[in-house]
């Protein structure tokens, strides 16, 4: 499961995701263990992120999401993988709902991409 969470987060941060974090909610929720949270610049990038994340999890042998909500307006898309949930916001929706502030007491890990060896 950790590999699938990391695959989702890496796919988001690879583009066009911004400010991608993994939040460990296992101590406060029983329905899931982790949130992957990311933002897109607009509805089009949110939809692209949902597709990229689903492909990223699938490529490492992970499951399809049990449910996807929010694709009709792409302001806040939720992808439910059971053990983890992906939240994809437009930047304005993420600010409005103060999602990061809501979960500030839970351990969080920012996702950064390592430079490729060829770039060195």
């Amino acid at each position: 499961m950790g590999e699938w969470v990391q695959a989702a987060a890496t796919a988001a941060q690879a583009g066009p995701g911004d400010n991608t974090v993994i939040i460990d909610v296992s101590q406060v929720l029983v329905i899931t263990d982790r949130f992957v949270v990311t933002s897109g610049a607009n509805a089009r990038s949110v939809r692209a992120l949902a597709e990229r994340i689903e492909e990223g999890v699938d490529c490492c042998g992970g499951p399809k999401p049990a449910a996807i909500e929010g694709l009709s307006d792409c302001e806040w898309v939720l992808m439910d993988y059971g053990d983890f949930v992906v939240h994809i916001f437009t930047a304005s929706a993420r600010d409005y709902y103060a999602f990061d502030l809501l979960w500030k007491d839970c351990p969080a890990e920012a996702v950064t991409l390592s430079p490729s060896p060829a770039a060195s």
Side-chain angles (χ1 to χ4, degrees), residues 18-84:
D18 186 39
N19 194 20
T20 305
V21 295
I22 300 170
I23 303 173
D24 183 345
V25 294
S26 62
Q27 298 301 309
V28 294
L29 293 179
V30 294
I31 57 171
T32 194
D33 292 332
R34 288 186 177 69
F35 290 154
V36 175
V37 184
T38 194
S39 301
N42 52 43
R44 183 178 297 176
S45 62
V46 168
R47 182 175 295 279
L49 280 163
E51 292 169 2
R52 181 181 290 263
I53 290 166
E54 189 169 357
E55 290 171 8
V57 173
D58 185 56
C59 283
C60 73
K64 294 288 186 192
I68 300 177
E69 298 179 18
L71 282 176
S72 60
D73 65 0
C74 290
E75 285 288 316
W76 178 354
V77 172
L78 182 143
M79 303 172 76
D80 183 358
Y81 283 92
D83 290 336
F84 68 101

Side-chain angles (χ1 to χ4, degrees), residues 5 11 13 15-16 21 25 32 74 78 86-87 89-90 97 101 117:
V5 171
Q13 192 61 27
V21 295
V25 294
T32 194
C74 290
L78 182 143
V86 178
H87 296 272
F89 294 92
T90 59
Y97 290 107
L101 186 60

Side-chain angles (χ1 to χ4, degrees), residues 84-108:
F84 68 101
V85 175
V86 178
H87 296 272
I88 311 166
F89 294 92
T90 59
S92 60
R94 189 168 179 177
D95 289 343
Y96 178 80
Y97 290 107
F99 198 82
D100 299 88
L101 186 60
L102 180 65
W103 299 100
K104 70 177 175 48
D105 293 334
C106 296

